[in-house]
Amino acid sequence: MQAKKTSIVFTGDIGFDRYMDKRWEDKNLLSKPVLDFFHSADHTVANVEGALIDAVDDGSRGVFFHSMSPAAACVLKDMHADIWSIGNNHTMDAGAEGVLSTKKIAAEMGSRTIGAGMNEVEASEPLYLDEAGGIGMFCVAYQAECIPATATEPGTFRWDDLDYIARRIAEIKAKCRWCIVVSHGGEEFAPMPNPYTRDRYCKFLELGADVVVAHHPHVPENYELFDNGKAIFYSLGNFIFDTDYQRAHLYTDVGILLKLIFTEEKMDFEAMGIQIVRGEERIDAAPLPGIFENVPAEEYELLAPLGAKAFVREEQRKMLYLEPKRFTNAPDEVWNSYFFSTEPDGYFEGAHMDLSVVVPFSQKAEEGRWKQSRLEGVKAHILRLLED
């Protein structure tokens, strides 16, 4: 008999390297309240940020290379992670062998994967749950840095293939009450989605999806509830992930565990804040981040330029970390040559890291309309990024 009610927990980014290397050996890595939250749900969707395979960077990726030891799967087991979201910009860091190894380990644990595969059909294949009127989900990944699967080559299911996405959504809705799109996209370290990211996720809802759950920015972002019962959760932030590159930015040590609760009639949610306790490198429960509020369209219009201004500041922090010789005390013309070019890593015109769009948009914050927003916690969260 089909269950009339079910719940699914979604995580932010998970990576067991750098500061998290070998942390799977610590039985206290996840605090009891965190584990209890996972165990309170019927399913867990874990964002596995990189292949489970013993691999070494060939030198081409540097700080952006991520894979993790297969031994780390024991933590996924403790979390009851029966679904692994592997459509992301690090899945292919270890090549086809990494994808094969990850899917093999998941299968051996009784878990299923979404978002990547040995060809485009496998990468885009929906996963179905025969619960709450039927639930179907698949995972998409952003352009440029996420290698797309083809008819014959491994990779991810890209978020810009709208015709294919529309077909997958229609396929799910023909069978199920609910359609979930898990997305790995949006700009890193942005406190709110830039307009073209929000537009894309709204498009998924227009195509028939009921909810979008996103990660990749490595910081938490807001969510948006709609009058028709649909929802977008723009970024859950980090979960088990800690690198020097991350530590150059605020809010990379906090995240959200999201629990979606479904019946045939409605969808609801609960959320738990988490914190990466640096030094000890363990994950504990924490208050929800101030940014994690419902930001409807009218509030987004007020706040988005301020969020974009903070993102530009974070992009400057990133480049000072990556290229200190070039950008330390750099004049405006040096920064503008970076912002108004196709150079930013992950650039895709009008869709991702298009700073030629974001920088002028961010300048609208100077008009001060964000001060009219009623969302004091959201404003405080963003303004902290602009303090220095």
Coordinates of all heavy atoms in Angstrom, one line a residue, residues 260-298:
L260 N 11.4 18.2 3.4 CA 10.2 18.4 2.7 C 9.2 17.3 3.1 O 9.6 16.2 3.2 CB 10.3 18.4 1.2 CG 11.2 19.5 0.6 CD1 11.3 19.3 -1.0 CD2 10.7 20.9 0.9
I261 N 8.0 17.7 3.4 CA 6.9 16.8 3.9 C 5.8 16.8 2.9 O 5.2 17.9 2.6 CB 6.5 17.2 5.3 CG1 7.7 17.3 6.3 CG2 5.4 16.2 5.8 CD1 7.4 18.1 7.5
F262 N 5.5 15.6 2.4 CA 4.5 15.5 1.3 C 3.3 14.7 1.8 O 3.5 13.6 2.4 CB 5.1 14.9 0.1 CG 6.1 15.7 -0.6 CD1 7.5 15.4 -0.3 CD2 5.8 16.6 -1.5 CE1 8.5 16.2 -0.9 CE2 6.8 17.4 -2.2 CZ 8.2 17.1 -1.9
T263 N 2.1 15.1 1.4 CA 0.9 14.3 1.4 C 0.4 14.4 -0.1 O 0.9 15.2 -0.9 CB -0.2 14.7 2.4 OG1 -0.7 16.0 2.0 CG2 0.4 14.8 3.8
E264 N -0.7 13.8 -0.4 CA -1.3 13.9 -1.7 C -1.8 15.3 -1.9 O -1.9 15.8 -3.0 CB -2.4 12.9 -2.0 CG -1.9 11.5 -2.1 CD -3.0 10.5 -2.5 OE1 -3.8 11.0 -3.3 OE2 -2.9 9.3 -2.2
E265 N -2.2 16.0 -0.8 CA -2.8 17.3 -0.9 C -1.9 18.5 -0.9 O -2.1 19.5 -1.5 CB -3.8 17.5 0.2 CG -5.1 16.6 0.1 CD -4.8 15.1 0.5 OE1 -3.9 14.9 1.4 OE2 -5.4 14.2 -0.1
K266 N -0.8 18.4 -0.1 CA 0.1 19.5 0.1 C 1.5 19.2 0.4 O 1.8 18.0 0.7 CB -0.5 20.4 1.2 CG -0.4 19.8 2.6 CD -0.8 20.8 3.7 CE -0.6 20.2 5.1 NZ -0.9 21.2 6.1
M267 N 2.4 20.2 0.3 CA 3.8 20.1 0.6 C 4.1 21.1 1.7 O 3.6 22.2 1.7 CB 4.7 20.4 -0.6 CG 6.2 20.5 -0.3 SD 7.1 21.0 -1.8 CE 6.5 22.6 -2.0
D268 N 4.8 20.6 2.7 CA 5.2 21.5 3.8 C 6.7 21.3 4.0 O 7.4 20.4 3.4 CB 4.5 21.2 5.1 CG 4.4 22.4 6.0 OD1 5.1 23.3 5.8 OD2 3.6 22.3 7.0
F269 N 7.3 22.1 4.9 CA 8.8 21.8 5.2 C 9.1 22.2 6.6 O 8.4 23.0 7.3 CB 9.6 22.6 4.2 CG 9.7 24.1 4.5 CD1 10.8 24.6 5.2 CD2 8.8 25.0 4.0 CE1 10.9 26.0 5.5 CE2 8.8 26.4 4.3 CZ 9.9 26.8 5.0
E270 N 10.2 21.6 7.0 CA 10.9 22.0 8.3 C 12.4 22.2 7.9 O 12.9 21.7 6.9 CB 10.8 20.9 9.3 CG 9.4 20.5 9.7 CD 9.3 19.3 10.7 OE1 10.4 18.8 11.0 OE2 8.2 18.9 11.0
A271 N 13.1 22.9 8.8 CA 14.5 23.2 8.5 C 15.3 23.2 9.8 O 14.8 23.6 10.8 CB 14.7 24.5 7.7
M272 N 16.5 22.7 9.7 CA 17.5 22.8 10.8 C 18.7 23.6 10.3 O 19.3 23.3 9.3 CB 17.9 21.4 11.3 CG 19.0 21.4 12.3 SD 19.6 19.8 12.8 CE 18.4 19.5 14.1
G273 N 19.1 24.5 11.1 CA 20.4 25.2 10.9 C 21.6 24.3 11.3 O 21.4 23.6 12.3
I274 N 22.7 24.3 10.6 CA 23.9 23.6 11.0 C 25.1 24.5 11.0 O 25.1 25.5 10.3 CB 24.1 22.3 10.2 CG1 24.4 22.7 8.7 CG2 23.0 21.4 10.3 CD1 25.9 22.8 8.4
Q275 N 26.1 24.1 11.8 CA 27.3 24.9 11.7 C 28.5 23.9 11.7 O 28.5 22.8 12.3 CB 27.5 25.7 13.0 CG 28.8 26.5 13.0 CD 28.9 27.6 14.0 OE1 28.1 27.6 15.0 NE2 29.8 28.5 13.9
I276 N 29.5 24.2 10.8 CA 30.7 23.5 10.8 C 31.6 24.1 11.9 O 32.0 25.3 11.8 CB 31.4 23.6 9.4 CG1 30.5 23.1 8.3 CG2 32.8 22.9 9.4 CD1 31.0 23.5 6.9
V277 N 31.9 23.3 12.9 CA 32.7 23.8 14.1 C 34.1 23.7 13.7 O 34.7 22.6 13.7 CB 32.4 23.0 15.3 CG1 33.2 23.6 16.5 CG2 30.9 23.0 15.6
R278 N 34.7 24.7 13.2 CA 36.0 24.7 12.7 C 37.1 24.5 13.8 O 36.9 25.0 14.9 CB 36.3 26.0 11.8 CG 35.6 26.0 10.5 CD 35.7 27.2 9.7 NE 35.2 27.0 8.4 CZ 34.8 28.0 7.6 NH1 34.9 29.3 8.0 NH2 34.4 27.8 6.4
G279 N 38.1 23.9 13.5 CA 39.1 23.5 14.5 C 38.8 22.0 14.9 O 39.7 21.2 14.8
E280 N 37.6 21.8 15.4 CA 37.2 20.5 15.7 C 36.7 19.7 14.5 O 36.7 18.5 14.4 CB 36.0 20.5 16.7 CG 36.4 21.1 18.0 CD 35.3 21.2 19.0 OE1 34.4 20.3 19.0 OE2 35.2 22.2 19.8
E281 N 36.3 20.5 13.4 CA 35.8 19.9 12.2 C 34.7 18.9 12.4 O 34.8 17.7 12.0 CB 36.9 19.3 11.4 CG 38.0 20.3 10.9 CD 37.4 21.4 10.1 OE1 36.5 21.2 9.3 OE2 37.9 22.6 10.3
R282 N 33.6 19.3 13.1 CA 32.5 18.5 13.3 C 31.2 19.3 12.9 O 31.3 20.6 12.8 CB 32.4 17.9 14.7 CG 32.3 19.0 15.8 CD 32.3 18.4 17.2 NE 32.3 19.4 18.2 CZ 31.2 20.1 18.6 NH1 30.0 19.8 18.0 NH2 31.2 21.0 19.5
I283 N 30.1 18.7 12.8 CA 28.9 19.3 12.4 C 27.9 19.3 13.5 O 27.5 18.2 14.0 CB 28.2 18.7 11.1 CG1 29.3 18.4 10.1 CG2 27.1 19.5 10.6 CD1 30.1 19.5 9.6
D284 N 27.4 20.5 13.9 CA 26.4 20.6 15.0 C 25.2 21.4 14.6 O 25.2 22.1 13.6 CB 27.1 21.2 16.2 CG 26.4 20.8 17.5 OD1 25.3 20.2 17.5 OD2 27.0 21.2 18.6
A285 N 24.1 21.2 15.3 CA 22.9 22.0 15.1 C 23.2 23.5 15.5 O 24.0 23.8 16.4 CB 21.8 21.5 15.9
A286 N 22.5 24.4 14.8 CA 22.7 25.8 15.0 C 21.4 26.6 14.7 O 20.6 26.0 14.0 CB 23.9 26.3 14.2
P287 N 21.3 27.8 15.1 CA 20.1 28.6 14.6 C 20.1 28.7 13.1 O 21.2 28.7 12.5 CB 20.4 30.0 15.3 CG 21.3 29.7 16.5 CD 22.1 28.6 16.0
L288 N 18.9 28.8 12.6 CA 18.8 29.0 11.1 C 19.5 30.3 10.7 O 19.3 31.3 11.4 CB 17.4 29.0 10.7 CG 16.7 27.6 10.6 CD1 15.2 27.7 10.5 CD2 17.3 26.8 9.5
P289 N 20.2 30.4 9.6 CA 20.8 31.6 9.2 C 19.8 32.7 8.9 O 18.6 32.4 8.5 CB 21.5 31.3 7.9 CG 21.7 29.8 7.9 CD 20.5 29.3 8.7
G290 N 20.1 34.0 9.2 CA 19.2 35.1 9.0 C 18.7 35.2 7.6 O 17.6 35.7 7.4
I291 N 19.4 34.8 6.6 CA 19.0 34.9 5.2 C 17.9 33.9 4.9 O 17.2 34.1 3.9 CB 20.2 34.7 4.3 CG1 19.9 35.1 2.9 CG2 20.7 33.2 4.3 CD1 19.8 36.6 2.7
F292 N 17.7 32.9 5.7 CA 16.8 31.8 5.4 C 15.4 32.2 5.8 O 14.9 31.8 6.8 CB 17.2 30.5 6.0 CG 16.4 29.3 5.6 CD1 16.6 28.8 4.3 CD2 15.5 28.7 6.4 CE1 15.9 27.7 3.8 CE2 14.8 27.6 6.0 CZ 14.9 27.1 4.7
E293 N 14.8 33.1 4.9 CA 13.4 33.5 5.1 C 12.8 33.5 3.7 O 13.4 33.5 2.7 CB 13.4 35.0 5.6 CG 13.8 35.1 7.0 CD 13.5 36.5 7.6 OE1 12.4 37.0 7.3 OE2 14.3 37.0 8.3
N294 N 11.4 33.5 3.8 CA 10.6 33.6 2.5 C 10.8 35.0 2.0 O 10.4 36.0 2.7 CB 9.2 33.3 2.8 CG 8.3 33.4 1.6 OD1 8.7 33.2 0.5 ND2 7.0 33.8 1.8
V295 N 11.3 35.1 0.8 CA 11.5 36.4 0.1 C 10.6 36.4 -1.1 O 11.0 35.9 -2.2 CB 12.9 36.7 -0.2 CG1 13.1 38.1 -0.9 CG2 13.8 36.6 1.0
P296 N 9.4 36.9 -1.0 CA 8.5 36.9 -2.2 C 8.9 38.0 -3.2 O 9.9 38.8 -2.9 CB 7.1 37.3 -1.6 CG 7.5 38.1 -0.3 CD 8.7 37.5 0.2
A297 N 8.3 38.0 -4.4 CA 8.8 38.8 -5.5 C 8.9 40.2 -5.2 O 9.9 40.9 -5.5 CB 7.8 38.6 -6.7
E298 N 8.0 40.8 -4.4 CA 8.0 42.2 -4.2 C 9.2 42.6 -3.2 O 9.9 43.6 -3.4 CB 6.7 42.7 -3.6 CG 6.3 42.1 -2.2 CD 5.5 40.8 -2.4 OE1 5.5 40.2 -3.5 OE2 4.9 40.4 -1.4

